[in-house]
Amino acid sequence: MAYTPKQVFLNGIWQDNPIYRQVLGICSTLAVTNLLANTLFMCFGLIFTTALSNLTISLLRDYTPKRIRMIIQVLIIACYVMMVDIFIKALAPDIHRFIGPYVGLIITNCIIMGRAEAFASQNKPLLSLFDGIASGVGYSLVLIFIASIREPLGFGSILGITLPARDLWWHSWIIMVMPPGAFFMLGMFTWFARRWLTKEVKR
Amino acid sequence: MVSSPQFLKQDIMLRVLYSLVPVAAVAIYFFGWYVMSIIAVSMLFAFLAEWIMASVRKGKISHACFVTAGIYALSLPPTTPLWIVAVGAIIAILFAKEMFGGFGKNVFNPAIVGRGFVFVCFPIELTGQFVPVFTGFPGGFGHWSVTALEQPAQYIAEAGLKVVDAITSATPMWANRNYGYDSSILSLFLGNIGTIFEYEGQKMVLGAGSMGEVSALVIMFSCVYLLWTKTANWRLTLSTLLGALISSLIFRYAFGIKTVPAPPFTMFSGALFYAAVFMVTDPISAPKATLSQWVYGFFIGTMIVVFRFKSIFSGGAGFAILLGNILAPSLDLWITRMKKPQLPEKGTISEKVTESP
Amino acid sequence: MKKTSPAYILGFMIIICTVFGTAISSVHYATLNMLIKNEKLHKNRSICRVFNLSVTGASADAFQKAIDDNISHEQVTYEGRTWEVYKQKETGNIGFVFSGTGFWDRISGIIILSADLSKIVNIQFLDQKETPGLGARIEEGWFIDQFKGISIAWDQPADKRIIVGPAPIPSAKNRVDAITGATQTSLALMKFLNSELEAFRAVIKERGEKKMSEVPSPSLE
């Protein structure tokens, strides 16, 4: 199958969005979306890792023996995740204190492995890089949307900035601070997206 | 938007609504007319949510949405702010019912999902703001709410406390669990809960629980009507009560767990009766086979008792039923399988389950 | 060589591991000093904040200097545990690093007591992983400020000397408010703070036979 870069981009962000279409990477959606700042760092980390691991795996695809390709993929992904972790720790230690546990979790994000196996191991390097970025962006858009609803409801702030006159009208929704809140938001978003945003594939 | 949807005619649901009337009337007597506004807001928003969703999917509105709203509203504390009531009602209809495809397709009891959501989301309003009841004549029919009073009731004033102090987190169950205070069984049965008790030298007001659950007597009255008209399934109610009774006996006397209250207190306190009559009997989320109904009710009754002494909250009827709801389809499946030891051909099991009404 | 031959697979694996292993290691070593510095800076900043020291400038050296000038630090080993004990030279206030299990994970911090151990002067958390927005609010100013100046009720049972959350007498001098919605974190905090205080008093008493005389003796219970 041949894709054009534009198709790859649109698929990753919209039609085949990793969250609401492929239903991958749900764990981190539940974990990090209660604060927008955490979400943004998670998204940067993920875009970086998916893009580079896709590129690397695609570059090596002709040399990788079929039987051990999964091990190689995990190794490469782990390597990039550790790098992200080290960089954040060294350059932004205060932020690392908040999102540290989640950065390590990037490796368990199914999107990376899924894209590596489904796309990068069969396509050209540049296209794979595009695909990695597109999937990461698609993931980020959904997460940012969810986080920008959860943070105001749960904390009364957005990006850590207190909403205007918060004490007068605002009331904390505790459930939005906790992971179950993301279940509700994600469920609603997926429902909405699949009903109105994308075309269902008829079998 | 599509043309406005029609009502689905449901006599059973109407009968449940009638049975809620005495419970609501007693709640007004005990807590004042504010109760009525809670019920009204709950029904309005549940109806709106259902109306919008039914228009979108071109379906019909069911009377069940009013039943859901009524049962949900009466399971709230009498001080719940109206906007929280509305949020819960919308969540109940939207997430527990419409998301699964509307009436008859919901896995969970919508009223409990709504209550569970607001319970977790707004713990202060839902677990910390109970009030003692009105007594005498005309009781709450002469007032708006306990918190709107200018003068506190006489016994509260005599203890040197004010109207604000009447807002308490000490319901009979909470007082029993945390302060070792036992309310009288008669007051739990009738519902006239509201007194002063002392704990380590401090005077505290005992508040009644949620609106619908205070009086076991009136719930029994409604229960008789529901069973008489065959609206509710007697097996579900009975097995739940039996489950709670037997498990509290076992925990207290066989295992010697002293934090489990004596059986009479277990039976008449908290939401057990209300849940057994109005919530467990929801025909859609309950299992269909006779044997699985017994197991289902028994499981819920036991879980209610377990939650009462093990969880961080003092009551857990709602969560017990949600667990039961999860179990219900599997129960039906297992029991069908047990009855036919040789595995039937593919597909027949699931058909059996979905066919039954 | 054929791609399916064991030799090729092994060779490929070795090359990949070496390349990526080297890459990770070099990144790690390149940033190692930065990590140690960051860690130290974070701790020093907390110490300065908890002892309320005035620091000129925001550089790592400034924090280090303020600590060197005002605080004496020693490590006391008692019953197999090493305590990090800090003492403010001027006031005699004494502090130590405490830790305990919160709702999710370990919580650690520094607590400063008055010289005679009768009061809590200040408290600061170094590390915690409680639920953001609920338990994690123990780091917020309003919660920490409550601890300033409360007395430790040494005459009470060992688990009631500091009370976090509701108490029969709300105006008690050894009580702070719990965090709404984070009952479990508050209870855990109360539990391990009390046991840490108890253990620390034993440390001070052991050591203080020589130096300190004002330590209240353990009450008979």
Side-chain angles (χ1 to χ4, degrees):
Chain A
M1 250 189 298
Y3 293 101
T4 65
K6 192 184 159 197
Q7 263 179 324
V8 167
F9 247 99
L10 285 181
N11 270 350
I13 293 173
W14 201 254
Q15 187 62 32
D16 269 344
N17 184 295
I19 299 279
Y20 61 76
R21 286 308 299 253
Q22 303 178 42
V23 199
L24 294 174
I26 301 301
C27 357
S28 53
T29 311
L30 305 182
V32 301
T33 50
N34 59 0
L35 282 174
L36 191 53
N38 292 357
T39 311
L40 287 177
F41 268 91
M42 188 73 185
C43 293
F44 286 135
L46 190 102
I47 295 175
F48 176 84
T49 326
T50 1
L52 287 189
S53 67
N54 255 12
L55 178 67
T56 320
I57 287 162
S58 174
L59 281 170
L60 291 173
R61 75 185 189 285
D62 289 337
Y63 311 101
T64 316
K66 272 272 172 302
R67 258 205 251 155
I68 57 161
R69 66 180 196 287
M70 292 282 222
I71 307 173
I72 301 287
Q73 286 165 4
V74 171
L75 197 135
I76 293 169
I77 295 165
C79 197
Y80 283 118
V81 172
M82 280 159 84
M83 279 188 191
V84 171
D85 192 47
I86 293 172
F87 280 134
I88 299 180
K89 211 177 197 169
L91 300 174
D94 288 330
I95 284 161
H96 190 270
R97 245 183 292 287
F98 286 108
I99 67 160
Y102 303 130
V103 174
L105 282 179
I106 293 180
I107 195 170
T108 65
N109 195 312
C110 324
I111 296 172
I112 307 175
M113 191 80 185
R115 291 325 291 171
E117 179 65 12
F119 198 92
S121 61
Q122 292 150 26
N123 286 286
K124 291 201 176 113
L126 206 59
L127 213 54
S128 300
L129 179 71
F130 275 154
D131 179 72
I133 296 173
S135 291
V137 171
Y139 165 88
S140 306
L141 287 179
V142 178
L143 257 72
I144 289 168
F145 176 79
I146 292 176
S148 51
I149 293 178
R150 279 181 75 189
E151 186 176 339
L153 282 179
F155 295 94
S157 62
I158 191 113
L159 269 175
I161 302 159
T162 310
L163 296 176
R166 178 170 75 168
D167 298 337
L168 296 180
W169 57 274
W170 178 83
H171 191 292
S172 175
W173 291 42
I174 305 281
I175 205 168
M176 285 301 165
V177 178
M178 302 192 295
F183 264 119
F184 280 94
M185 291 314 304
L186 183 62
M188 221 149 94
F189 190 86
T190 308
W191 179 22
F192 186 75
R194 297 184 80 140
R195 177 79 169 74
W196 287 284
L197 293 186
T198 60
K199 279 176 275 172
E200 286 294 327
V201 182
K202 292 263 158 58
R203 296 212 175 173
Chain B
M1 210 42 89
V2 208
S3 62
S4 58
Q6 290 183 321
F7 270 102
L8 194 66
K9 211 161 155 45
Q10 290 169 307
D11 289 340
I12 290 186
M13 290 301 161
L14 285 178
R15 283 204 291 274
V16 181
L17 269 184
Y18 300 149
S19 76
L20 281 171
V21 170
V23 180
V26 168
I28 295 170
Y29 168 75
F30 280 135
F31 299 110
W33 285 102
Y34 182 66
V35 171
M36 204 59 227
S37 66
I38 291 182
I39 297 174
V41 165
S42 168
M43 289 196 171
L44 175 70
F45 280 88
F47 171 73
L48 284 179
E50 175 126 347
W51 185 71
I52 291 170
M53 291 314 299
S55 317
V56 171
R57 74 180 153 82
K58 304 189 177 92
K60 287 180 175 177
I61 298 180
S62 58
H63 286 137
C65 86
F66 294 111
V67 173
T68 298
I71 292 176
Y72 156 76
L74 285 168
S75 75
L76 297 172
T79 52
T80 316
L82 292 178
W83 68 271
I84 290 182
V85 176
V87 168
I90 294 170
I91 295 281
I93 296 297
L94 206 59
F95 280 93
K97 202 168 157 191
E98 291 301 331
M99 220 164 186
F100 288 96
F103 177 77
K105 294 186 179 135
N106 46 307
V107 183
F108 299 103
N109 185 330
I112 304 174
V113 172
R115 192 200 189 308
F117 185 91
V118 291
F119 185 71
V120 176
C121 204
F122 311 107
I124 301 170
E125 286 79 5
L126 270 287
T127 59
Q129 300 190 349
F130 293 102
V131 287
V133 299
F134 287 109
T135 48
F137 184 80
F141 289 112
H143 299 280
W144 177 242
S145 74
V146 175
T147 45
L149 288 179
E150 283 175 13
Q151 289 292 320
Q154 203 184 359
Y155 65 98
I156 294 176
E158 276 169 7
L161 298 173
K162 300 190 192 69
V163 174
V164 204
D165 298 312
I167 301 169
T168 172
S169 61
T171 60
M173 266 198 315
W174 185 255
N176 173 283
R177 205 171 117 121
N178 291 31
Y179 306 120
Y181 172 81
D182 278 322
S183 316
S184 83
I185 301 298
L186 184 67
S187 74
L188 289 177
F189 181 70
L190 294 175
N192 56 336
I193 302 158
T195 180
I196 302 276
F197 66 98
E198 286 200 11
Y199 176 70
E200 291 191 357
Q202 239 215 319
K203 286 191 172 126
M204 295 196 185
V205 176
L206 183 75
S210 297
M211 298 182 291
E213 67 187 38
V214 280
S215 169
L217 179 67
V218 69
I219 299 173
M220 279 181 180
F221 183 72
S222 296
C223 179
V224 169
Y225 169 77
L226 285 175
L227 297 184
W228 187 262
T229 55
K230 295 209 169 65
T231 309
N233 187 320
W234 61 275
R235 280 185 219 101
L236 292 170
T237 305
L238 187 64
S239 59
T240 307
L241 294 175
L242 276 178
L245 181 67
I246 293 172
S247 59
S248 70
L249 279 171
I250 291 175
F251 283 131
R252 189 175 166 87
Y253 298 108
F255 294 167
I257 304 169
K258 286 285 160 255
T259 42
V260 177
F265 186 85
T266 301
M267 298 310 286
F268 294 122
S269 65
L272 176 66
F273 242 88
Y274 184 74
V277 174
F278 293 110
M279 290 171 159
V280 182
T281 50
D282 169 31
I284 295 150
S285 56
K288 315 291 180 282
T290 314
L291 183 58
S292 40
Q293 287 179 340
W294 282 105
V295 178
Y296 175 78
F298 206 83
F299 171 78
I300 292 174
T302 310
M303 287 316 287
I304 291 178
V305 174
V306 171
F307 278 142
R308 281 189 187 174
F309 80 95
K310 269 292 175 199
S311 73
I312 50 171
F313 307 115
S314 60
F319 295 116
I321 299 172
L322 289 181
L323 277 180
N325 289 165
I326 298 175
L327 206 61
S330 311
L331 274 178
D332 271 343
L333 204 71
W334 292 332
I335 276 157
T336 329
R337 251 186 222 165
M338 262 182 357
K339 281 185 180 161
K340 287 187 206 155
Q342 71 278 33
L343 263 176
E345 281 170 47
K346 259 191 183 171
T348 43
I349 295 177
S350 53
E351 272 171 22
K352 267 255 151 51
V353 176
T354 43
E355 264 171 20
S356 38
Chain C
M1 209 193 290
K2 267 176 77 182
K3 250 169 64 173
T4 46
S5 73
Y8 179 87
I9 291 180
L10 204 65
F12 188 80
M13 223 29 213
I14 290 171
I15 294 172
I16 288 282
C17 287
T18 321
V19 170
F20 282 92
T22 320
I24 280 287
S25 308
S26 28
V27 171
H28 178 67
Y29 278 107
T31 54
L32 201 58
N33 276 334
M34 286 171 85
L35 295 189
I36 295 170
K37 247 192 226 157
N38 286 339
E39 205 47 49
K40 182 126 199 208
L41 179 63
H42 177 59
K43 195 164 181 188
N44 283 348
R45 265 202 314 230
S46 300
I47 294 173
C48 288
R49 208 179 304 145
V50 76
F51 275 108
N52 214 1
L53 301 179
S54 59
V55 183
T56 42
S59 69
D61 292 337
F63 282 105
Q64 192 62 49
K65 187 173 178 300
I67 287 170
D68 291 342
D69 288 349
N70 294 297
I71 308 289
S72 66
H73 171 227
E74 65 177 305
Q75 289 181 325
V76 185
T77 309
Y78 178 70
E79 286 183 349
R81 176 173 164 187
T82 306
W83 294 76
E84 303 272 343
V85 181
Y86 299 90
K87 195 162 183 185
Q88 193 166 14
K89 289 168 186 163
E90 194 183 326
T91 56
N93 289 346
I94 192 161
F96 66 98
V97 175
F98 65 87
S99 72
T101 314
F103 184 48
W104 294 115
D105 206 340
R106 264 166 68 88
I107 299 177
S108 67
I110 303 177
I111 188 167
I112 310 295
L113 310 175
S114 60
D116 61 353
L117 303 191
S118 66
K119 279 186 167 137
I120 293 178
V121 176
N122 206 346
I123 192 168
Q124 189 79 44
F125 292 98
L126 292 173
D127 193 24
Q128 55 87 12
K129 297 187 177 66
E130 301 303 291
T131 324
L134 291 170
R137 296 181 66 198
I138 53 173
E139 282 195 334
E140 288 180 8
W142 67 270
F143 185 71
I144 287 169
D145 286 345
Q146 293 186 95
F147 283 92
K148 290 182 181 164
I150 64 166
S151 15
I152 305 168
W154 289 109
D155 53 340
Q156 293 288 313
D159 60 340
K160 292 251 165 66
R161 286 169 185 159
I162 301 276
I163 295 175
V164 182
I169 308 152
S171 58
K173 286 236 161 54
N174 63 337
R175 196 191 78 87
V176 295
D177 286 333
I179 298 163
T180 312
T183 326
Q184 295 302 308
T185 300
S186 307
L187 284 177
L189 187 66
M190 167 162 131
K191 202 173 147 203
F192 73 72
L193 269 185
N194 276 309
S195 69
E196 290 283 271
L197 285 173
E198 173 76 8
F200 183 67
R201 185 172 63 166
V203 174
I204 292 296
K205 191 154 188 311
E206 169 79 14
R207 200 185 58 138
E209 302 287 280
K210 301 160 243 163
K211 299 187 206 164
M212 304 186 62
S213 52
E214 293 158 1
V215 181
S217 57
S219 54
L220 297 169
E221 281 144 22

